[in-house]
Amino acid sequence: MAVLSEKIEKILRRHGQEHLLHFAEALSGAELAGFERQLSEIEWEELSSLIDSHVKSRPDRSIPADISPAPYYPLPTSDPALKEKYSSAMDVGAKLIRDGRVALLTVAGGQGTRLGFDGPKGTYPISPAGGKSFFQYFSEKIRGANRKYGIALDWLIMTSPVNRGATLGFFEANNYFGLDRRNVHFFVQGTMPAISYDGRVLMESKSSLALSPNGHGGTIRALHDSGLLRMLENKGVEVISYFQIDNLIVPILDTLFIGLHHMDGSQVSSRMLAKTGPFEKLGNFCMSEGRLHIVEYSDMPEDLALQRDRDGRLLFISGSPAIHVFSLDFLDRLGDPASPVRLPWHRADKKVAFVDGSGRLVKPEKPNAVKLETFIFDCLPLAEKTIILEGMRDEQFSPTKNPDGVDSVESARRMLSERDARWLEAAGIEVPRSPDGSLDCVVELSPMKYYDAEDVSMLKGQITPPRSGEKRLYS
Ligand code: UTP
């Protein structure tokens, strides 16, 4: 009869998790070995104290003391000095890109639960006319950037252990969408077990734990452990442009943003959007004791959220669309296991399927468990130097969280089509619109050929205007 090692048994009993031993005697040798491996990878001391602080009780959600609104670079600006600075910054940013000093990082390890799509979110057919997946769209965008700057960008993609296989398979099956596979680097984030409300680690099957990705904060450790930072450093990369897989319109490389980051000696820089209202569901950029913080919308005290300046504008106006630029040195320092940086854990109440004591798989209809995650933006206060640059929502942020409604497939498709229509119109091409100004067609520009508005303008002679009611892909 196979059993778990005595060491693991002792650990489980010490931490009140002996229910995990329940099926061990009935497992095959291979199942048992896999289970033992999973159990031994868990930092039990830390998990036990997290169960006390984040599951059995509610974590402390107090916000930093004496917060004030974070300053930012406004965009556009009428200030002549700033205009001049922006103009130099764009040159600096473009040069850094051309010189191979910039790499891209996309986090794609999330579970996309709200989207309810069976597969990694990156494989979802999102683009409005071409039906391209996020991965294809960004691959083509990168090919556009490579052409524009005469380079071969390195692209780091974080997956979770759960979606790694499907993500790699998707790139393989599609020949990396024309990218050189040597420039596409996958790395895997860590996981955390889901915990029932009574503090027990849940099992997904009789021989495995219910594990889920440990949040995008997992990027820091995973990136360090992957060795990719070293690889980039050896290639001369200094700056990493970070975006989320589900933001289709994000400018993957922004010369102004990268240039300002570099000129100001920033360690981590963030885009901000002017919030549409005091309670918009975006993290709030705040300063406390000279450090930059993002206070989650759910933690922002109502009286502060409502504060306005003399012109009636929200004081805490800056919302985060999760677009950042990191200095490689800073990420390297944060990930160093010799002086590990511990980001705070956040609790999320979720429905998690689990195997009960009788071996039956239970699929709960309401939240039954806590998932624990860290967030990348919690590293902001660790930086001595940060900057924030305003962004225009229509050109920056089309989050795809839900199938329809707010922040959805529907809204992301519409935003991309609108953005591409604006680029066509800026080049003097007429785009059919309804009397209320909304688009009367669906347009999509190939990001490989039309990387930006400038490309559209240069190639306008080749472009036939879209017709009313038409769905048109310009490839
Ligand atoms: P979200 O927190 O919005 O999660 O992730 P999600 O997976 O897209 O959707 P829900 O909440 O399950 O419905 C924002 C970004 O962070 C990545 C996601 O892939 C997305 O790009 N992410 C999130 C990770 O890479 N790992 C994680 O553990 C969580």
Side-chain angles (χ1 to χ4, degrees), residues 107-115 121 158 189 213-216 219 242-246 350 373 400-401:
V107 286
Q111 292 182 299
T113 29
R114 284 167 286 173
L115 190 59
K121 207 189 248 186
M158 185 169 83
Q189 68 177 110
N214 60 0
H216 41 59
T219 308
Y242 168 103
F243 54 94
Q244 301 190 331
I245 190 60
D246 57 6
K350 300 270 178 178
E373 295 191 332
T400 311
K401 305 294 178 193

Side-chain angles (χ1 to χ4, degrees), residues 229 233 237-238 267 326-334:
L229 286 179
E233 195 178 41
V237 170
E238 293 169 18
Q267 290 165 314
F326 291 95
S327 290
L328 189 132
D329 283 353
F330 178 64
L331 282 178
D332 199 22
R333 169 159 77 78
L334 293 188

